């Protein structure tokens, strides 16, 4: 190989190296470092709700069949019981004995609330009443008892007036709050369980509820919610540590909570059972912006809350 050939090869190598050096800055591109995108943890907002109730104060009204049945039982007892020993209780010839004879002649039986009935006569077997008869109505029986007690005794007006028995009439089963439709009063619907419902600024009626704070459990949250919503003028008792019901719904659009680093998809409310012993709710210093409250029974709650809420809470409520 001649000297000219070696020189041409050397020039080609240098030219190729120069071309590679010149192309390197243009062909290499800077790739930024890959960083992981910040993703929020998806969750539901957990709330505690309180089903605060006032239990029934009196027994329920009897059905017409039950009234007739219990009335028949009292008449049957008059037939089967031993005759009333009058002289054991009333001395013969005394004003009390004369009064007893007069009343016995009117009603034919010692019992004062079973109408005119003689259990030892030939018609003693006829002791049943038709359903809906006036004699089986409790109000009619109360009137008969009061009328019997307030009749003056035998003798002069002075003696009769002295023997008059003053008997107070039992309190009515229908209260003034029932008559006026006061749904804020606890002295109404005495035969049914009443539940506290509150109304927020958005206009919806619900049971008192709020989000859990710090590390409190549902029982502690229920006690706090009762105080912060209904005030300190209620003597209440949170029953148990296990929820009696649950209600949840999803937001139309997830809401991000930067403080907790979560994306809230909706709310889940767990209801705790509670009883009110004394006192009354007051929204004067409530912490949740509540504007109104009511004490309603199960039937009234169905007409007040929205259908979806009702379907979730109806099985938590007593029938009466």
């Amino acid at each position: 190989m001649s000297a000219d050939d070696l020189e041409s090869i050397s020039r080609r190598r240098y030219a190729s190296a120069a071309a590679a050096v010149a192309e390197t800055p243009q062909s290499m591109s800077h790739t930024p470092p890959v960083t992981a995108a910040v993703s929020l943890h998806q969750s539901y907002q957990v709330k505690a709700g309180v089903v605060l109730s006032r239990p029934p104060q009196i027994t329920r009204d009897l059905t017409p069949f039950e009234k007739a049945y219990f009335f028949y039982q009292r008449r049957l007892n008059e037939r089967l019981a031993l005759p009333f020993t009058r002289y054991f209780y009333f001395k013969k010839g005394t004003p009390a004995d004369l009064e007893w004879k007069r009343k016995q002649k009117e009603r034919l039986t010692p019992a004062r609330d079973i109408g005119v009935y003689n259990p030892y006569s030939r018609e003693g077997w006829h002791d049943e009443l038709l359903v809906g008869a006036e004699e089986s109505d409790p109000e009619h029986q109360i009137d008969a008892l009061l009328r019997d007690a307030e009749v003056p005794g035998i003798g002069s007006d002075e003696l009769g007036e002295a023997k008059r028995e003053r008997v107070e009439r039992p309190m009515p089963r229908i209260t003034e709050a029932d008559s006026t439709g006061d749904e804020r009063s606890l002295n109404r619907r005495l035969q049914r369980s009443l539940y506290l419902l509150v109304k927020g600024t958005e206009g919806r009626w619900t049971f008192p509820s709020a989000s859990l704070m710090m590390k409190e459990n549902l029982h502690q949250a229920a006690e706090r919610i009762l105080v912060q919503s209904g005030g300190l003028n209620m003597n209440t008792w949170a029953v148990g540590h296990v929820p009696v019901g649950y209600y949840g719904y999803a937001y139309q659009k997830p809401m991000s909570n930067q403080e907790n680093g979560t994306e809230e998809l909706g709310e889940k409310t767990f209801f705790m059972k509670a009883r009110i012993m004394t006192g009354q709710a007051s929204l004067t210093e409530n912490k949740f912006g509540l504007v109104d409250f009511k004490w309603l029974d199960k039937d009234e709650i169905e007409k007040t809350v929205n259908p979806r809420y009702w379907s979730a809470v109806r099985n938590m409520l007593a029938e009466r």
Side-chain angles (χ1 to χ4, degrees):
M1 182 177 298
S2 63
D4 295 335
D5 294 334
L6 292 174
E7 185 177 358
S8 61
I9 292 175
S10 178
R11 289 177 180 173
R12 289 198 209 103
R13 288 177 179 173
Y14 282 119
S16 300
V21 171
E23 292 176 0
T24 297
Q26 299 177 359
S27 62
M28 293 180 62
S29 61
H30 176 70
T31 304
V34 179
T35 58
V38 178
S39 59
L40 299 177
H41 176 68
Q42 293 183 340
S43 65
Y44 282 82
Q45 183 180 1
V46 179
K47 289 187 173 183
V50 186
V51 182
L52 181 63
S53 64
R54 186 225 65 188
Q57 305 298 295
I58 58 176
T59 57
R60 65 171 177 83
D61 288 334
L62 299 177
T63 64
F65 174 79
E66 290 172 334
K67 293 177 183 178
Y69 173 80
F70 289 123
F71 187 85
Y72 165 72
Q73 290 294 319
R74 289 197 292 274
R75 281 193 171 180
L76 181 62
N77 181 69
E78 287 295 304
R79 290 178 57 191
L80 301 180
L82 293 175
F84 180 74
T85 55
R86 185 178 85 230
Y87 295 118
F88 182 81
Y89 297 96
F90 307 114
K91 188 176 180 179
K92 188 175 182 179
T94 61
D97 182 50
L98 297 176
E99 176 72 4
W100 163 259
K101 289 181 179 179
R102 186 187 65 79
K103 292 181 178 179
Q104 175 77 3
K105 185 178 180 180
E106 289 181 359
R107 58 178 182 251
L108 305 179
T109 176
R112 295 175 293 176
D113 59 346
I114 60 174
V116 179
Y117 172 69
N118 186 357
Y120 303 110
S121 66
R122 291 185 177 182
E123 298 294 327
W125 60 271
H126 190 52
D127 52 5
E128 298 183 16
L129 288 178
L130 296 177
V131 174
E134 182 184 27
E135 292 85 351
S136 63
D137 185 65
E139 290 297 325
H140 177 80
Q141 297 169 15
I142 291 175
D143 291 338
L145 292 172
L146 294 176
R147 190 167 54 250
D148 184 89
E150 293 175 357
V151 170
I154 301 298
S156 63
D157 293 341
E158 293 77 13
L159 179 60
E161 188 65 26
K163 289 287 293 181
R164 184 182 295 274
E165 301 177 31
R166 300 294 181 181
V167 181
E168 291 189 13
R169 188 177 185 86
M171 296 294 292
R173 299 172 67 88
I174 304 298
T175 65
E176 182 180 355
D178 288 318
S179 303
T180 59
D182 183 8
E183 295 181 332
R184 284 192 169 194
S185 174
L186 279 167
N187 192 31
R188 61 181 295 270
R189 308 285 284 179
L190 300 181
Q191 304 177 41
R192 303 289 299 274
S193 294
L194 296 183
Y195 300 91
L196 176 64
L197 265 72
V198 294
K199 181 180 180 181
T201 54
E202 68 280 359
R204 292 184 302 172
W205 288 96
T206 61
F207 294 116
S209 62
S211 301
L212 299 180
M213 296 179 60
M214 304 296 291
K215 295 183 179 180
E216 66 179 357
N217 55 40
L218 291 175
H219 183 89
Q220 295 169 339
E223 293 178 333
R224 173 180 59 83
I225 292 169
L226 286 175
V227 174
Q228 293 182 347
S229 59
L232 295 172
N233 193 32
M234 291 193 301
N235 182 9
T236 58
W237 170 44
V239 183
H241 294 261
V242 180
V244 296
Y246 154 82
Y247 169 69
Y249 72 94
Y251 298 145
Q252 294 182 354
K253 184 179 180 181
M255 301 175 60
S256 60
N257 189 333
Q258 299 296 336
E259 296 181 1
N260 300 331
T262 59
E263 185 181 41
E264 296 177 353
L265 303 178
E267 294 182 0
K268 292 185 178 181
T269 305
F270 296 89
F271 295 99
M272 302 295 291
K273 184 179 180 181
R275 294 280 197 187
I276 181 170
M277 308 301 179
T278 58
Q280 175 61 290
S282 174
L283 304 182
T284 304
E285 299 180 359
N286 78 88
K287 309 297 182 181
F288 306 123
L290 304 176
V291 297
D292 199 2
F293 73 92
K294 291 181 180 180
W295 290 97
L296 305 178
D297 62 24
K298 185 174 182 178
D299 296 335
E300 294 170 331
I301 292 176
E302 181 180 5
K303 302 175 183 177
T304 304
V305 301
N306 66 64
R308 183 174 181 180
Y309 192 83
W310 166 248
S311 65
V313 304
R314 61 182 178 182
N315 291 331
M316 300 186 297
L317 311 179
E319 292 297 329
R320 64 169 298 269

